[in-house]
Amino acid sequence: MAGQFEPIPGGGAAVALDEVEISILRSLAVQLLELIGPGPGGEESDDPLAELFAEGPSEPPSDPVLQRLFPDAYGDPEAVPDDQLKEYSAEFRRFTENDLRARKREDALGIVRSLDALSAGGDGGAVLKLSADESRQWLGGLNDLRLAIAGRLEVIADEDTELLYRLPDDDPRKPMVMAYLWLGGLQESLIETL
């Protein structure tokens, strides 16, 4: 089971992780949470009606990673010549981005919580066992982590990914590339398991 998800009874998945892998996954998920930020109004609210009626931003984020995580509904607003499409896109973002942020936040928190709940095995690793719902949450979280790293690496197309394999070992992006590729393998094995 080393490094790949495998099915478990009840529709869930399990993967063996060592201490370093657990630490990397947790660190990346926490960084993603910091990037996504708190809920509407700057902090989590206990009032579901306030959250329901809170409007999100109408402008796309300036950070390229956040642009990847929260894409424009109708393509790049600067590339769309039609002002009406830009207006539709702004309205779509205003009414959907808060919910999308909340889901991405929950997925990343799910990763952190499940890693924190692991009890280390004798060799410093552990087997992470996820229910079917937790597996879907992890799938979303792994996807978001890969999108965030792809944004930092400026990976847009498959050709860009191919270039990553040829980076010299002394390239400062190499650790991020290794994380990107490793997360891709984890994500693929979880998809196959589900």
Side-chain angles (χ1 to χ4, degrees):
M1 182 186 313
Q4 296 212 343
F5 280 97
E6 294 183 6
I8 59 174
V15 64
L17 299 169
D18 65 30
E19 279 184 44
V20 173
E21 292 169 326
I22 293 167
S23 176
I24 291 170
L25 278 167
R26 189 181 189 291
S27 175
L28 289 172
V30 168
Q31 290 176 52
L32 182 64
L33 283 166
E34 290 171 356
L35 184 65
I36 292 171
E43 57 188 55
E44 297 297 331
S45 171
D46 292 332
D47 183 1
L49 286 177
E51 287 183 29
L52 181 66
F53 293 109
E55 291 184 0
S58 59
E59 294 295 320
S62 58
D63 184 322
V65 172
L66 290 174
Q67 288 174 7
R68 184 73 66 93
L69 291 170
F70 305 106
D72 198 70
Y74 298 100
D76 180 5
E78 301 305 317
V80 178
D82 187 346
D83 285 339
Q84 190 68 43
L85 284 180
K86 288 180 184 180
E87 184 180 324
Y88 292 156
S89 187
E91 287 294 300
F92 184 82
R93 180 175 298 283
R94 191 166 56 117
F95 292 114
T96 61
E97 187 168 314
N98 285 342
D99 289 340
L100 187 56
R101 279 183 185 269
R103 196 202 74 216
K104 290 181 181 301
R105 213 176 359 266
E106 276 305 308
D107 289 348
L109 277 171
I111 290 175
V112 171
R113 288 178 184 135
S114 59
L115 291 173
D116 286 350
L118 283 177
S119 57
D123 61 354
V127 175
L128 174 68
K129 294 181 181 177
L130 303 171
S131 68
D133 286 340
E134 291 168 329
S135 295
R136 285 186 287 279
Q137 192 174 46
W138 262 72
L139 192 55
L142 288 172
N143 186 61
D144 291 340
L145 290 173
R146 286 193 75 233
L147 284 172
I149 293 173
R152 289 290 181 240
L153 292 172
E154 299 177 356
V155 173
I156 306 294
D158 290 338
E159 299 81 37
D160 298 329
T161 303
E162 294 300 319
L163 295 174
L164 298 178
Y165 288 104
R166 292 183 280 228
L167 283 179
D169 288 340
D170 62 348
D171 190 301
R173 297 172 294 171
K174 192 72 169 193
M176 199 179 331
V177 168
M178 298 305 294
Y180 175 76
L181 297 173
W182 174 60
L183 290 171
L186 275 178
Q187 184 181 19
E188 184 176 339
S189 71
L190 183 53
I191 289 170
E192 290 171 358
T193 298
L194 295 178

